[in-house]
Amino acid sequence: MSKVTLKVGQTGWGNLEAGFKEAGLDDTPYKVEFSVFQGGNLQLEAMAGDHLDIALTSEIPPIFASQAADGGNLQIIAIQKSDTLEQELVIQKGSTVRQVSDLKGKKVAYVKSTTAHYFS
């Protein structure tokens, strides 16, 4: 086995690792380490710190990462077109909020440098 280790980031759950195994692509001459992150922004921070080699993110994190002091130390090599309507709002049980306009004047939390910026 090679001494090479490929460090791969994935967002939310271990879908990449499971996909590689199901496709029979997990038997490589090098070691593959999968890490799960709660957002693409965190993957790109890990990449900037040389803790990841590959990250899959939505379109927003690379925009913010490219503005970093070192230019983001990343290169986009593939793009998958998807729908930006795949966004969610989570409210507390019992909330009176029923639509986005009901949020006017309320405090709303979101994760910086992610697709949650569509709401800001």
Side-chain angles (χ1 to χ4, degrees), residues 13-110:
W13 51 87
N15 57 332
L16 287 179
E17 186 172 7
F20 274 67
K21 285 180 183 176
E22 283 296 315
L25 299 173
D26 60 333
D27 184 19
T28 64
Y30 47 87
K31 184 176 179 185
V32 181
E33 287 181 1
F34 292 92
S35 298
V36 178
F37 293 82
Q38 292 306 309
N41 59 325
L42 300 176
Q43 289 185 73
L44 296 180
E45 284 182 26
M47 186 176 277
D50 291 325
H51 299 289
L52 277 184
D53 299 309
I54 298 172
L56 279 74
T57 78
S58 63
E59 66 277 15
I60 302 298
I63 293 170
F64 283 91
S66 70
Q67 302 303 308
D70 64 355
N73 81 331
L74 60 95
Q75 182 176 11
I76 298 171
I77 62 167
I79 296 175
Q80 174 185 352
K81 185 177 179 179
S82 65
D83 191 343
T84 59
L85 298 176
E86 296 174 3
Q87 303 294 317
E88 299 87 22
L89 285 173
V90 179
I91 58 174
Q92 286 184 316
K93 187 175 183 176
S95 172
T96 59
V97 173
R98 296 290 175 252
Q99 56 192 14
V100 174
S101 61
D102 293 340
L103 296 171
K104 187 172 184 174
K106 300 197 181 308
K107 291 182 181 179
V108 178
Y110 65 95

